[in-house]
Amino acid sequence: MMARPLRPSSSLSRRRMLALTGAGALGASLAACGDNTGRGTSASDDAGAASGGGGRPTIAQWYHQYGEAGTQEAVERYAADYPDADVTVSWKPGDYDQSTAASLLTDAGPDVFEYGNGPTIDMIKGGQVADLTDLFGDTLDDFTPSLIERMSYDGMIWAVPQVLDMQVLVYRPSLLEQAGIEPPQQIPDLVAAARELSRGDVKGLFLGNDGGAGLLGGPMLWSAGLDYLDEDQVGFEAAGAAEALTVLRTLWTDESLLLGEAQDWFDATAFTSGRAAMQWTGLWTFPAISEALGDDFGAIPWPAMEGGAPSVPVGAYGSCVSTRAQDVEAAREFVRWLWIDQTDKQLDFATSYGFHVPSRASLVPEADVLTSGPAADAAAYVTEYGHAQTPLLWTPRCATAWNDMMSRVVRDGADAQAELEALVPIVEDELERVTA
């Protein structure tokens, strides 16, 4: 998520800020999608094209452009190691989500591709992606449950999670101790702590330059025991939703939020420089935080309100198979080999080129960087408090309308209850469309 979604800097580009959303409108030129596909000639051309002309299948695999050094070389190395097909890797800069979604409507797209939080509901309903359920076998329970649920529809699993990212609340123990404050476990405690820690040039909390409007809507709903959707119904109509969202407006008007930073929430500079005592950020910032602050930082989930629970958003790119693949079964077998069988490569991809969590629980203890301190705490939160960033049926139209609403509530002071009520018919219309 994790999309989406989800960077202006190399430290963020890997998982795209966990804002791993579905594809946008398919307005891009489809002709451009046929360039550099990684495939040879089409299946309708010379005999043997689908098998690379030598009796072996050929598989075109697409990735978005990661920022961490060594990532591209790693996935190319994995592909070269595959014994049963010739796999070509295409590294796709630019608007990966849109170009990939457009390419699936043509015969020039990938056989295997990654997509933020798995394929969109429109890809699934449109028959553009293959069912991968049977690939998991007896490993299914080893994968992060919230991600499997996010990549499932109609009793089938449509992607295999690669590695996951998460967002957490980091804090400076030394600053909290000086103020006589415990790490906040409840939302009222967080609001009070942010006020108390705002002293002089230091603000109590940094939630991003928009005051958390673009990030914290989901965690605020989860803190109240709610969600965007309740299966295929609106989930934010219940009592407590407006009160939860209004918390972010309270933080904004209290002037306890740090705003106007050169770098946004995805970078830890505001926190490591001492301008904020607490910050909402991603796991990928932990190496920079540790280098700057040593052991003077901790990590906790987003706190709970009465009736709810703490939470952390999680997201992952999922490996998918196009139904237009030249050999769908060969493509499925490659996905099984790489993202289910090759645990050494999965661990390498998660921890050698950045700071991420393996999508399989059994691999987390093998990740040395996740065995102690705040990183170990954060990894444990994935299972205990993890939520997929948004549900599968939460379409880009829903997300845009929600984000616009959140900005009006948090930054402009609009009435949260009225804004939520106005959003209901938009979401219901989308739910009717995608479930028809």
Side-chain angles (χ1 to χ4, degrees), residues 221-279:
L221 289 178
W222 305 330
S223 75
L226 305 173
D227 208 335
Y228 296 100
L229 301 177
D230 182 2
E231 296 185 352
D232 61 354
Q233 302 294 318
V234 172
F236 53 80
E237 284 187 290
E243 179 185 357
L245 299 188
T246 303
V247 168
L248 297 175
R249 175 62 182 176
T250 299
L251 288 166
W252 180 280
T253 56
D254 275 355
E255 298 185 354
S256 56
L257 295 181
L258 181 65
L259 300 168
E261 285 295 290
Q263 298 290 338
D264 217 321
W265 67 275
F266 48 77
D267 184 279
T269 303
F271 181 67
T272 58
S273 66
R275 294 194 295 276
M278 301 182 290
Q279 178 180 335

Side-chain angles (χ1 to χ4, degrees), residues 126-403:
Q128 296 173 329
V129 289
D131 173 19
L132 305 183
T133 311
D134 63 305
L135 301 187
F136 289 87
D138 60 5
T139 70
L140 182 58
D141 290 343
D142 195 30
F143 283 82
T144 303
S146 57
L147 292 178
I148 292 296
E149 180 180 1
R150 176 60 172 79
M151 297 179 186
S152 299
Y153 183 73
D154 200 23
M156 290 170 275
I157 307 172
W158 301 94
V160 179
Q162 296 175 176
V163 299
L164 67 87
D165 278 320
M166 61 184 299
Q167 298 163 13
V168 289
L169 185 65
V170 294
Y171 65 93
R172 294 279 300 275
S174 60
L175 296 181
L176 269 64
E177 290 169 7
Q178 290 172 16
I181 296 172
E182 294 292 326
Q185 303 299 312
Q186 300 288 321
I187 288 294
D189 298 330
L190 175 66
V191 174
R195 289 173 182 158
E196 182 63 24
L197 292 166
S198 294
R199 301 176 178 181
D201 294 332
V202 178
K203 290 292 187 179
L205 184 60
F206 182 47
L207 301 178
N209 288 322
D210 64 356
L215 288 174
L216 275 305
M220 285 308 316
L221 289 178
W222 305 330
S223 75
L226 305 173
D227 208 335
Y228 296 100
L229 301 177
D230 182 2
E231 296 185 352
D232 61 354
Q233 302 294 318
V234 172
F236 53 80
E237 284 187 290
E243 179 185 357
L245 299 188
T246 303
V247 168
L248 297 175
R249 175 62 182 176
T250 299
L251 288 166
W252 180 280
T253 56
D254 275 355
E255 298 185 354
S256 56
L257 295 181
L258 181 65
L259 300 168
E261 285 295 290
Q263 298 290 338
D264 217 321
W265 67 275
F266 48 77
D267 184 279
T269 303
F271 181 67
T272 58
S273 66
R275 294 194 295 276
M278 301 182 290
Q279 178 180 335
W280 184 253
T281 190
L283 181 68
W284 55 84
T285 64
F286 279 27
I289 295 174
S290 181
E291 182 178 357
L293 302 178
D295 60 1
D296 187 22
F297 84 101
I300 56 175
W302 189 249
M305 297 179 69
E306 185 176 354
S311 63
V312 295
V314 297
Y317 275 87
S319 187
C320 313
V321 172
S322 169
T323 51
R324 287 180 178 263
Q326 294 190 28
D327 187 332
V328 171
E329 191 55 35
R332 282 170 19 95
E333 285 303 313
F334 172 65
V335 170
R336 183 208 303 268
W337 177 84
L338 179 54
W339 297 116
I340 295 178
D341 296 342
Q342 300 295 300
T343 54
D344 58 333
K345 292 178 172 58
Q346 295 156 32
L347 187 63
D348 178 66
F349 193 61
T351 60
S352 296
Y353 316 100
F355 204 79
H356 314 281
V357 179
S359 61
R360 297 179 62 168
S362 63
L363 296 182
V364 175
E366 298 184 37
D368 293 341
V369 296
L370 301 175
T371 57
S372 62
D377 294 337
Y381 300 151
V382 169
T383 300
E384 189 171 3
Y385 302 123
H387 287 259
Q389 292 164 280
T390 55
L392 176 63
L393 301 185
W394 191 255
T395 66
R397 183 185 174 205
C398 295
T400 298
W402 175 271
N403 289 339

